[in-house]
Amino acid sequence: VGLPFNELPGNWRTGWLNLYHFWQEGGFHNVHNIMIHKFQKFGPIYREKLGFYESVNIINPEDAATLFKSEGNYPERFMVPPWVAYRDFRNKPYGVLLKKGEAWRSDRLILNKEALSLQLLKCFVPLLNEVGEDFVKRVRVQIEKSGQGRWTADLTNELFRFALESAVCNVLYGVRLGLLQDFIDPEAQKFIDAVTLMFHTTSPMLYIPPALLRRINSKIWQDHVQSWDVIFSQADKCIQNIYRELRLDQKSTKEYAGILSSLLMQDKLPIDCIKANVTEMMAGGVDTTSMTLQWAMFELARAPAVQEQLRAEIFAARQAAQGDELKMLKALRLLKAAIKETLRLHPVAVTLQRYTTQEIILQNYFIPAKSLVQVGIYAMGRDPKFFTKPELFNPARWLKMDSTYFRGLSFGFGPRQCLGRRIAELEMQLFLVHMLENFKIETKRGVDIGTKFDLILIPDKPIHITLRAL
Ligand code: HEM
Ligand code: 2DC
């Protein structure tokens, strides 16, 4: 028999005091470590209240399974308040990220066919391959320039541009960056900076009602509004361009011309709704994959043996596939495990969240319907109870583990999982294939890089990577 909700461990009775302590501990950038600490203190389940927001936090894969199996057809996650506040303030429509109920589901089913279906991979591969190849060319030029056969740099901005060009311009819009009129260099940089600032200004506003910050016209709210304004206006420019082009000539009826064109031609969603969703995908497509790729290269640089194994796998797969890229990708089991392993140690999202739709039992406690439950995936990924020697970057563990049951949750789960998942996975796979085929990835030894919560989890200092021509 279960225990009552009110007996859950945790300091959940003192919301404002907690927020104060949290702030004192530098919590706004340290959410992930505070969570690990709390699981150590309270055990595998604790209740928490920060400011206005209350949640139940879990770490156990079995408990995650219980939660997700009861989520139903309309799962809801925590709605990031400043993101909602911006749209309401400027009167912008919501995309799937912020919609609920039937409105969410009907949009989402249409978008799944355009972004998540496995049949799309053959359309995405050539688009993403091209950008990967160009990145290699860029690196070669830099190596040439250095005259030393190698290039050392903080690749943050290079990878932002790569991600923008891959996922956003090529897959969403079916055009290369240089070809998007009104969206050449300075514009692209403006967009990239706006997305980073948008994430950065979100985290301090997570626990304080945005309406309050708006009323006192705080700097953080102003910056947040400005960054979303740039994101929306840049996206609008791109969408208008494609829209105009599509109406001028019908040339692209045969060849695959990207997600936006496909949505426009199908005519199943109203144009405002397409705009809202494409804007979200454009904003979601930059920092997520680029930061993950940066972590992946960092981990591979510190594990030269793994790097060699991956190179061998890629070499063999390339030979066997004889030019069939999809076939090659199918064979890259260790490479896919390496991406999973990167996201285990460095997830983009510190937690997954769901509102319960019915009463459920977690760790023998009754959790009422409509509670916010968070799965601490950062903490789970680093807990020796769920991953032996968690500090070790060991991609092969995913191929050998007894059970991976509800352990690989980096893109979320179920009907509400990441919409960009297939694009992100393919983009990262192809990037790493090209990099490993051409360069040795190295980094200075003994440099420890920590993690910072900036709404998404990012490195706490610049990572310097050395690329050496093979
Ligand atoms: C949602 C992770 C890349 C667009 C999510 C969620 C996670 C996530 C954990 C919440 C899922 C859940 O609640 O179950 C990641 C990771 C990425 C990535 C790890 C790359 C490494 C992308 C990209 C795009 C994107 C490239 C756009 C093309 C979205 C959208 C949602 C979402 C629109 C909300 C979906 C909905 O509510 O229906 N992502 N993401 N993400 N992601 Fe991603
Ligand atoms: C942040 O406590 C911490 O993929 C909060 O591409 C809980 C929370 C809720 C939703 C999460 C968010 C966290 C991190 C960033 C996520 C977001 C859902 C989607 C978003 C995980 C864990 C992200 C980065 C999307 C963003 C698309 C957007 C910019 C249009």
Side-chain angles (χ1 to χ4, degrees):
V1 281
L3 298 162
F5 191 52
N6 279 345
E7 281 176 28
L8 272 169
N11 307 320
W12 48 272
R13 290 173 199 271
T14 51
W16 293 103
L17 189 66
N18 288 342
L19 192 61
Y20 175 72
H21 286 310
F22 185 71
W23 173 72
Q24 261 193 332
E25 291 170 49
F28 291 133
H29 292 302
N30 212 18
V31 173
H32 50 298
N33 286 319
I34 293 179
M35 273 194 99
I36 289 189
H37 187 81
K38 292 204 166 160
F39 283 120
Q40 279 162 357
K41 183 166 166 193
F42 296 120
I45 188 165
Y46 67 86
R47 192 169 159 191
E48 171 173 73
K49 190 167 183 189
L50 280 177
F52 282 102
Y53 303 108
E54 209 179 310
S55 66
V56 173
N57 295 270
I58 57 177
I59 187 170
N60 205 305
E62 304 287 334
D63 294 335
T66 308
L67 178 69
F68 287 120
K69 283 176 180 175
S70 74
E71 71 175 4
N73 288 331
Y74 307 93
E76 278 175 30
R77 78 170 74 83
F78 179 67
M79 296 256 231
V80 176
W83 296 355
V84 179
Y86 171 80
R87 283 151 181 82
D88 295 351
F89 176 58
R90 287 279 195 241
N91 220 348
K92 302 267 187 203
Y94 297 175
V96 280
L97 180 72
L98 300 172
K99 277 190 174 175
K100 295 182 188 189
E102 195 47 53
W104 166 77
R105 192 168 164 89
S106 56
D107 278 18
R108 180 71 206 227
L109 289 176
I110 293 169
L111 291 168
N112 282 351
K113 287 202 196 87
E114 300 304 321
L116 206 58
S117 145
L118 282 168
Q119 277 148 23
L120 291 162
L121 293 186
K122 64 174 186 310
C123 301
F124 295 163
V125 165
L127 298 174
L128 293 170
N129 227 349
E130 199 183 48
V131 194
E133 276 161 17
D134 281 1
F135 194 87
V136 168
K137 279 185 208 146
R138 265 186 73 82
V139 176
R140 287 209 181 279
V141 170
Q142 296 297 329
I143 292 179
E144 209 69 39
K145 264 200 218 155
S146 81
Q148 296 175 308
R150 64 183 144 87
W151 179 44
T152 302
D154 170 3
L155 295 175
T156 308
N157 210 45
E158 299 283 336
L159 289 169
F160 279 160
R161 303 181 58 93
F162 164 79
L164 182 66
E165 178 122 32
S166 292
V168 171
C169 295
N170 227 354
V171 171
L172 272 180
Y173 300 130
V175 275
R176 293 303 298 272
L177 200 57
L179 300 175
L180 264 186
Q181 296 144 4
D182 303 331
F183 202 67
I184 39 172
D185 267 13
E187 298 292 296
Q189 196 59 49
K190 220 173 110 183
F191 180 80
I192 289 169
D193 295 342
V195 179
T196 305
L197 185 66
M198 181 277 289
F199 282 127
H200 178 74
T201 52
T202 302
S203 52
M205 290 198 282
L206 272 180
Y207 312 99
I208 302 161
L212 197 85
L213 295 160
R214 197 175 118 189
R215 198 139 2 110
I216 61 170
N217 211 15
S218 71
K219 169 99 167 68
I220 196 106
W221 169 255
Q222 288 174 18
D223 287 350
H224 193 67
V225 168
Q226 252 173 36
S227 58
W228 274 122
D229 282 347
V230 172
I231 294 169
F232 272 89
S233 75
Q234 298 288 71
D236 211 61
K237 267 190 221 166
C238 295
I239 296 168
Q240 287 305 335
N241 275 333
I242 305 297
Y243 189 57
R244 201 179 320 120
E245 224 170 77
L246 211 62
R247 292 179 59 177
L248 287 180
D249 62 3
Q250 246 59 24
K251 75 167 194 301
S252 43
T253 39
K254 262 192 255 129
E255 226 177 294
Y256 182 71
I259 293 177
L260 175 61
S261 299
S262 193
L263 285 169
L264 288 171
M265 286 191 295
Q266 275 181 35
D267 207 21
K268 279 189 199 149
L269 291 174
I271 179 81
D272 276 344
C273 175
I274 295 180
K275 268 192 188 173
N277 281 298
V278 167
T279 305
E280 282 178 2
M281 285 198 264
M282 193 174 173
V286 180
D287 297 44
T288 47
T289 49
S290 59
M291 287 300 171
T292 308
L293 284 173
Q294 205 172 3
W295 283 122
M297 287 199 277
F298 178 65
E299 293 293 354
L300 290 172
R302 295 196 302 177
V306 176
Q307 213 181 120
E308 275 317 312
Q309 279 180 309
L310 288 175
R311 221 168 258 127
E313 184 187 67
I314 294 166
F315 185 77
R318 175 91 60 213
Q319 297 265 303
Q322 299 190 315
D324 181 344
E325 303 273 347
L326 261 184
K327 193 176 164 198
M328 176 190 72
L329 287 169
K330 270 213 182 97
L332 300 177
R333 292 177 68 225
L334 191 65
L335 183 77
K336 288 173 191 166
I339 293 171
K340 260 187 157 176
E341 183 72 344
T342 303
L343 284 166
R344 172 181 72 82
L345 286 166
H346 312 287
V348 170
V350 62
T351 64
L352 303 176
Q353 330 79 39
R354 290 293 182 265
Y355 288 94
T356 51
T357 52
Q358 70 214 51
E359 186 179 72
I360 57 173
I361 296 177
L362 295 171
Q363 294 288 326
N364 210 27
Y365 289 96
F366 282 116
I367 312 297
K370 300 193 175 147
S371 310
L372 178 63
V373 181
Q374 306 207 72
V375 183
I377 57 168
Y378 179 87
M380 186 200 286
R382 286 164 183 257
D383 192 319
K385 282 201 279 307
F386 315 121
F387 297 93
T388 42
K389 295 209 185 141
E391 68 291 345
L392 220 67
F393 177 78
N394 174 19
R397 75 167 78 233
W398 292 97
L399 310 176
K400 291 185 217 145
M401 257 156 64
D402 294 339
S403 167
T404 54
Y405 188 68
F406 281 86
R407 278 166 173 76
L409 291 171
S410 322
F411 289 97
F413 179 86
R416 192 112 210 190
Q417 69 177 278
C418 177
L419 176 63
R421 178 179 193 155
R422 292 273 110 79
I423 301 169
E425 285 175 341
L426 200 63
E427 174 189 324
M428 295 192 292
Q429 287 161 15
L430 286 168
F431 177 90
L432 291 173
V433 164
H434 289 300
M435 292 305 279
L436 287 163
E437 281 182 325
N438 288 279
F439 311 108
K440 214 165 163 180
I441 305 168
E442 296 167 356
T443 193
K444 253 218 198 99
R445 270 205 267 167
V447 180
D448 237 347
I449 308 282
T451 300
K452 174 181 163 187
F453 175 80
D454 227 10
L455 195 80
I456 59 170
L457 296 171
I458 61 173
D460 69 352
K461 48 178 106 50
I463 298 180
H464 293 275
I465 297 284
T466 299
L467 300 168
R468 196 185 290 276
L470 270 177

